[in-house]
Short mmCIF file of all heavy atoms in Angstrom, two decimals:
data_model
loop_
_atom_site.label_atom_id
_atom_site.label_comp_id
_atom_site.label_asym_id
_atom_site.label_seq_id
_atom_site.Cartn_x
_atom_site.Cartn_y
_atom_site.Cartn_z
N LEU A 467 99.59 126.88 123.77
CA LEU A 467 100.86 126.83 123.04
C LEU A 467 101.71 128.07 123.30
O LEU A 467 102.93 127.97 123.43
CB LEU A 467 100.60 126.69 121.53
CG LEU A 467 100.39 125.27 121.03
CD1 LEU A 467 99.87 125.29 119.60
CD2 LEU A 467 101.71 124.49 121.10
N LEU A 468 101.06 129.22 123.39
CA LEU A 468 101.82 130.45 123.69
C LEU A 468 102.53 130.31 125.03
O LEU A 468 103.69 130.72 125.18
CB LEU A 468 100.90 131.67 123.74
CG LEU A 468 100.67 132.49 122.48
CD1 LEU A 468 100.15 133.88 122.84
CD2 LEU A 468 101.93 132.63 121.64
N GLU A 469 101.81 129.73 125.99
CA GLU A 469 102.42 129.53 127.31
C GLU A 469 103.62 128.60 127.21
O GLU A 469 104.66 128.83 127.82
CB GLU A 469 101.39 128.93 128.26
CG GLU A 469 100.89 129.99 129.23
CD GLU A 469 100.16 129.37 130.41
OE1 GLU A 469 100.84 128.94 131.39
OE2 GLU A 469 98.93 129.33 130.33
N LYS A 470 103.43 127.58 126.41
CA LYS A 470 104.51 126.60 126.21
C LYS A 470 105.77 127.29 125.66
O LYS A 470 106.90 126.96 126.00
CB LYS A 470 104.02 125.52 125.25
CG LYS A 470 105.00 124.40 125.04
CD LYS A 470 104.42 123.29 124.15
CE LYS A 470 105.53 122.40 123.65
NZ LYS A 470 105.21 121.75 122.38
N VAL A 471 105.51 128.28 124.80
CA VAL A 471 106.62 129.03 124.20
C VAL A 471 107.28 129.96 125.23
O VAL A 471 108.36 130.49 125.00
CB VAL A 471 106.07 129.82 122.98
CG1 VAL A 471 107.06 130.80 122.43
CG2 VAL A 471 105.60 128.86 121.89
N GLY A 472 106.59 130.15 126.38
CA GLY A 472 107.15 131.00 127.42
C GLY A 472 106.58 132.41 127.43
O GLY A 472 107.15 133.32 128.03
N LEU A 473 105.44 132.58 126.75
CA LEU A 473 104.84 133.91 126.72
C LEU A 473 103.63 133.96 127.66
O LEU A 473 102.69 133.20 127.50
CB LEU A 473 104.40 134.26 125.30
CG LEU A 473 105.50 134.28 124.24
CD1 LEU A 473 104.91 134.64 122.88
CD2 LEU A 473 106.61 135.24 124.61
N LYS A 474 103.72 134.85 128.66
CA LYS A 474 102.64 134.98 129.65
C LYS A 474 102.32 136.45 129.82
O LYS A 474 103.18 137.30 129.66
CB LYS A 474 103.10 134.42 130.99
CG LYS A 474 102.98 132.93 131.08
CD LYS A 474 103.14 132.48 132.54
CE LYS A 474 103.57 131.04 132.54
NZ LYS A 474 104.81 130.77 133.23
N ASP A 475 101.06 136.70 130.19
CA ASP A 475 100.66 138.07 130.47
C ASP A 475 101.04 138.37 131.92
O ASP A 475 100.27 138.15 132.84
CB ASP A 475 99.15 138.20 130.26
CG ASP A 475 98.65 139.60 130.60
OD1 ASP A 475 99.50 140.50 130.79
OD2 ASP A 475 97.43 139.78 130.67
N THR A 476 102.26 138.90 132.12
CA THR A 476 102.76 139.08 133.49
C THR A 476 102.23 140.34 134.16
O THR A 476 102.28 140.47 135.37
CB THR A 476 104.30 139.13 133.50
OG1 THR A 476 104.72 140.07 132.51
CG2 THR A 476 104.89 137.77 133.19
N ASP A 477 101.73 141.30 133.36
CA ASP A 477 101.24 142.53 134.00
C ASP A 477 99.73 142.67 133.91
O ASP A 477 99.17 143.72 134.22
CB ASP A 477 101.94 143.76 133.40
CG ASP A 477 101.89 143.76 131.88
OD1 ASP A 477 101.12 142.93 131.31
OD2 ASP A 477 102.60 144.56 131.25
N GLY A 478 99.05 141.62 133.51
CA GLY A 478 97.59 141.61 133.54
C GLY A 478 96.90 142.59 132.61
O GLY A 478 95.76 142.97 132.85
N ASN A 479 97.57 143.04 131.55
CA ASN A 479 96.90 144.00 130.65
C ASN A 479 96.29 143.31 129.42
O ASN A 479 95.89 143.96 128.47
CB ASN A 479 97.88 145.12 130.23
CG ASN A 479 98.98 144.59 129.31
OD1 ASN A 479 99.12 143.38 129.12
ND2 ASN A 479 99.74 145.51 128.73
N GLY A 480 96.28 141.99 129.43
CA GLY A 480 95.63 141.28 128.32
C GLY A 480 96.59 140.88 127.21
O GLY A 480 96.23 140.08 126.36
N ALA A 481 97.78 141.45 127.24
CA ALA A 481 98.76 141.11 126.20
C ALA A 481 99.90 140.32 126.84
O ALA A 481 100.35 140.67 127.94
CB ALA A 481 99.31 142.37 125.56
N VAL A 482 100.38 139.29 126.14
CA VAL A 482 101.48 138.50 126.71
C VAL A 482 102.78 139.31 126.68
O VAL A 482 102.96 140.20 125.84
CB VAL A 482 101.68 137.15 125.98
CG1 VAL A 482 100.46 136.27 126.15
CG2 VAL A 482 102.02 137.37 124.52
N ASN A 483 103.67 138.96 127.61
CA ASN A 483 104.96 139.66 127.71
C ASN A 483 106.09 138.74 127.29
O ASN A 483 105.98 137.52 127.37
CB ASN A 483 105.21 140.07 129.17
CG ASN A 483 104.19 141.08 129.65
OD1 ASN A 483 103.02 140.74 129.83
ND2 ASN A 483 104.63 142.31 129.84
#
Side-chain angles (χ1 to χ4, degrees):
L467 275 169
L468 268 200
E469 255 195 83
K470 184 176 164 207
V471 170
L473 301 180
K474 278 193 203 122
D475 178 11
T476 50
D477 50 12
N479 69 350
V482 296
N483 296 70

